[in-house]
Amino acid sequence: MNNRETNEGYNLSCEELKRLQDVQKELISEVKRICLKNNIHFNMVGGTMLGAIRHGGYIPWDDDADIGFLRTEYEKFRKACKTDLNHEKYYMQDLRDTKGYRWGYGKLRKKGTEFIRLNQEFMPYEQGIFIDLMPFDNVPDGWLSRRVHFIQCFLYRKFFWSEVGSKTEKNPWKRTAYKLMRRIPMKFVIKSYQRFIDAGQRKKTRLVRILTFPTPKGVYGYERKWYTHLSKYQFGNMLLPGARDYDGYLRVKYGNYMELPPAEKRKTHPVSKLKLPEE
C-alpha cells in the first residue's frame, strides 16, 4: 500500500517499515555522496550507530535514521546542498531555510512521499520521508557554565516544541506554558538560538551535543573524539563512518546496548499518514 492515512495514528506494518527504511537508506547514500564530493566529515549517531554495531544495519523496529556532524561540518553540508543536492529527488529542511520548521537540527527528505508523525499534521511545511541531520555543538568545560548551558538547551527545546505541545500536552499547566511560549514569534526565537550557537563556537571544548535534543540523565554532552576519531562499519549494503570507540559512546548513550529491550520498550512512532514511492 503506497498511501495510508488515519486521524488516530497507527504503527507501520513490517512491509511498510522495510520500504520506509529503504527510502531512508537512499537518503543516507545521498548524504554520503555529497560529503565525499565536498570533503565533509559525518558519522552515524544514535540508533543508527547502535543498529550498525548490534544488527549490521537498521534496528529491526526503527523508523528513523540519524546522521551527525560537528557544527562546522553541518554548515558546510547545508551550503553544499544548495548546489550539489539532487533537487529533483530530495530537499533539505533547516530552521533558517524552511518557514514554519521548528526543530534545532536538519532533515533531508524525499520528494513525492509523505511520512507524518501523529500530532504533527498541522505543521506548515512539507513532510516527506526523512532522515535527521544532527549538528553537534560545543558544551562549556566549566562546572557552572556547563549547567547553565544545559538549562538554555532545555528552554530552546521547549520553545521549538511549543507549537506541538500547546495542542497535545495532557498536563494543563504544561499546556498553558506551551501556549504562552508559542506566542513569541519564531523569528525572534531563531535569532536568539543562532546567537547561542555562534557564542558556543568561540572555544573548542571536550564535550559536544545536539543543542535541542535531550541527553541521557546526568550526561551534559558526548566526547568530541566520538565524532572525530572514526572507523567504517557495515550498515546494510553501505560502509558508513562511526565512532572508533563505539563501545564508549554506546554505553553512555544506551547502557548495556547489546541487550535487546523487551518488546514493550521497543520505541516506535505512531504515524498519521504514510505515502511511499511508487514501486
Side-chain angles (χ1 to χ4, degrees), residues 8-277:
E8 300 298 325
Y10 63 94
N11 292 319
L12 301 181
S13 69
C14 292
E15 179 187 354
E16 288 171 328
L17 181 59
K18 170 67 167 59
R19 292 187 59 197
L20 176 78
Q21 291 172 347
D22 286 343
V23 175
Q24 291 173 341
K25 284 187 282 188
E26 179 187 330
L27 292 164
I28 294 172
S29 182
E30 179 70 355
V31 170
K32 182 179 179 181
R33 182 187 69 80
I34 293 170
C35 288
L36 287 175
K37 180 178 179 180
N38 293 278
N39 193 31
I40 297 169
H41 300 285
F42 74 99
N43 59 294
M44 296 179 288
V45 296
T48 304
M49 186 65 196
L50 174 58
I53 298 303
R54 196 171 68 193
H55 303 278
Y58 266 95
I59 298 171
W61 56 88
D62 204 359
D63 62 0
D64 60 16
D66 304 306
I67 299 298
F69 308 80
L70 291 177
R71 171 59 67 175
T72 52
E73 301 301 297
Y74 177 85
E75 296 303 335
K76 285 163 62 178
F77 180 81
R78 177 172 164 260
K79 182 178 178 181
C81 278
K82 297 183 186 302
T83 54
D84 293 330
L85 183 66
N86 184 340
H87 294 285
E88 291 183 2
K89 292 184 176 180
Y90 314 111
Y91 56 103
M92 181 184 173
Q93 294 177 328
D94 178 90
L95 271 172
R96 294 157 288 180
D97 305 321
T98 306
K99 188 175 181 180
Y101 189 81
R102 299 182 69 93
W103 314 118
Y105 45 89
K107 293 181 186 288
L108 186 67
R109 298 187 188 262
K110 184 171 174 66
K111 287 186 174 180
T113 67
E114 287 185 278
F115 181 41
I116 302 178
R117 298 253 171 94
L118 184 64
N119 297 323
Q120 295 187 25
E121 303 83 2
F122 52 83
M123 300 301 272
Y125 50 81
E126 288 186 77
Q127 297 189 63
I129 293 173
F130 68 91
I131 59 173
D132 288 323
L133 307 172
M134 302 294 204
F136 283 77
D137 288 278
N138 295 325
V139 173
D141 290 322
W143 182 90
L144 180 59
S145 56
R146 183 174 291 175
R147 282 153 178 80
V148 171
H149 183 267
F150 183 87
I151 294 169
Q152 289 174 295
C153 290
F154 172 84
L155 290 173
Y156 278 116
R157 185 167 77 248
K158 296 304 180 184
F159 270 109
F160 291 137
W161 179 253
S162 63
E163 183 69 26
V164 177
S166 64
K167 296 177 174 66
T168 63
E169 175 59 54
K170 292 180 172 56
N171 182 303
W173 296 104
K174 290 182 180 180
R175 189 168 63 250
T176 298
Y178 283 133
K179 286 180 178 179
L180 292 172
M181 295 172 92
R182 71 182 289 271
R183 296 180 70 173
I184 298 177
M186 271 302 292
K187 63 180 181 180
F188 295 124
V189 178
I190 292 171
K191 283 183 180 179
S192 174
Y193 182 59
Q194 189 61 50
R195 287 195 296 269
F196 182 51
I197 291 171
D198 294 341
Q201 292 301 303
R202 293 171 189 159
K203 180 185 175 184
K204 189 175 179 179
T205 58
R206 183 173 68 86
L207 300 182
V208 295
R209 64 166 292 180
I210 308 162
L211 297 179
T212 59
F213 205 80
T215 54
K217 187 175 181 179
V219 174
Y220 290 94
Y222 304 97
E223 296 286 342
R224 178 181 295 275
K225 66 179 181 180
W226 292 335
Y227 308 91
T228 57
H229 295 69
L230 306 175
S231 296
K232 296 286 182 68
Y233 301 96
Q234 202 72 39
F235 187 82
N237 61 356
M238 292 181 282
L239 272 178
L240 297 174
R244 188 175 302 164
D245 177 24
Y246 68 84
D247 182 70
Y249 168 66
L250 292 174
R251 285 192 182 281
V252 167
K253 183 82 173 164
Y254 298 107
N256 184 10
Y257 60 90
M258 291 302 289
E259 182 179 331
L260 290 175
E264 66 272 14
K265 291 189 177 181
R266 295 177 184 179
K267 184 181 177 184
T268 58
H269 300 91
V271 175
S272 64
K273 187 171 184 180
L274 176 69
K275 181 183 177 186
L276 293 160

